[in-house]
Amino acid sequence: MAPQTIALLLAAGFVAGFINTVAGGGSAITLTVLESLLGPTVANGTNRVAVFLANGVAVAGFARGDAVPWKRALPLIPPTVVGAGIGAWTATRLSNQGMRTAFAFALLFVAVSVLVKPSRWTQQQKEPVLHEPWRSLAFLGVGFYGGFVQAGVGFLILLAVVMGGGLDLVRGNAAKVLLILSYTPVALLLFARAAQVDVKTGLVLAAGNTSGAWVAARLAVRRGAGWIRWVLVFVAVAAAVWML
């Protein structure tokens, strides 16, 4: 692997790891780089190597700050994992153009709701808003999207755990990285079985990704939800404009 390719993967990985940990959409950066090197099919699978390791590091960072809402997050894992397995299985069978357009409007909704009702995103609620069976159905859908394409799933999870689960942005991000960590091995296994994972490239990307994730997790715990709010708005609007 050429030195300039390694440098590109490390830089893209760091930025994506940082963005993914406190907002979402960072995989759009890494997928663009990987697609130019490996093609779109292998890029989607290879990206999961870095995603898995980066979210493991992010969970550790939030856990050190005692910010992981284990009680609220653990019940969300089963439907998310099931959805991700279905999404990864269908990843090479469906076009994602329609999903991208719909997702762009979802991003704009996230940005507007953060600005209009900031307290919903910065203050933790005592009880979740979503209850069964709607909670499981919501996270089944979120998991499907994450398994299918990954890029931007962080926004959807934040929307679900903050607006539906009553978490603030710090604990919401901690729950987000925990959920992504839980389903990524399933997606990665399915892509690997289809020979769509370049492990060497994925590990180089992961070196940058995990570094960015660790820095972002520590900053999120130290600086709180108010800081994350503005990062989320900026990244959501930028990602929506890019997708549209």
Side-chain angles (χ1 to χ4, degrees):
M1 189 179 294
Q4 59 267 32
T5 301
I6 295 175
L8 177 62
L9 289 170
L10 291 174
F14 182 89
V15 175
F18 188 96
I19 292 173
N20 279 336
T21 302
V22 294
S27 288
I29 298 171
T30 53
L31 283 173
T32 300
V33 172
L34 290 173
E35 284 175 6
S36 68
L37 299 173
L38 306 172
T41 302
V42 179
N44 194 11
T46 301
N47 188 51
R48 311 307 175 112
V49 176
V51 167
F52 175 65
L53 295 174
N55 281 277
V57 167
V59 169
F62 280 112
R64 284 192 62 182
D66 196 28
V68 180
W70 299 105
K71 185 177 180 180
R72 293 198 188 184
L74 289 177
L76 306 177
I77 291 178
T80 306
V81 171
V82 171
I86 299 171
W89 183 77
T90 58
T92 59
R93 294 168 171 80
L94 295 175
S95 169
N96 65 355
Q97 185 56 47
M99 187 177 293
R100 285 167 61 87
T101 301
F103 182 65
F105 285 100
L107 292 180
L108 291 176
F109 173 76
V110 170
V112 171
S113 64
V114 171
L115 292 173
V116 173
K117 288 189 175 182
S119 62
R120 289 291 299 271
W121 294 81
T122 57
Q123 298 174 13
Q124 180 160 306
Q125 308 299 314
K126 292 183 178 180
E127 295 293 335
V129 176
L130 275 179
H131 299 283
E132 296 297 345
W134 306 111
R135 182 177 66 181
S136 291
L137 288 174
F139 283 91
L140 185 71
V142 167
F144 178 89
Y145 180 88
F148 186 82
V149 71
Q150 181 63 35
V153 69
F155 289 114
L156 295 181
I157 296 178
L158 278 179
L159 187 63
V161 298
V162 173
M163 300 295 285
L167 299 176
D168 61 30
L169 274 174
V170 175
R171 289 166 180 79
N173 271 299
K176 177 194 71 182
V177 295
L178 177 63
L179 291 174
I180 295 175
L181 177 66
S182 69
Y183 77 68
T184 300
V186 176
L188 183 58
L189 176 62
L190 291 170
F191 283 110
R193 289 185 63 183
Q196 295 178 1
V197 177
D198 185 322
V199 176
K200 182 179 178 180
T201 302
L203 289 175
V204 175
L205 181 67
N209 221 317
T210 53
S211 300
W214 179 257
V215 172
R218 300 304 294 156
L219 279 175
V221 171
R222 291 176 184 174
R223 302 191 66 173
W227 170 75
I228 300 174
R229 172 192 170 202
W230 292 111
V231 176
L232 179 62
V233 169
F234 176 80
V235 175
V237 172
V241 170
W242 178 78
M243 285 186 174
L244 291 173

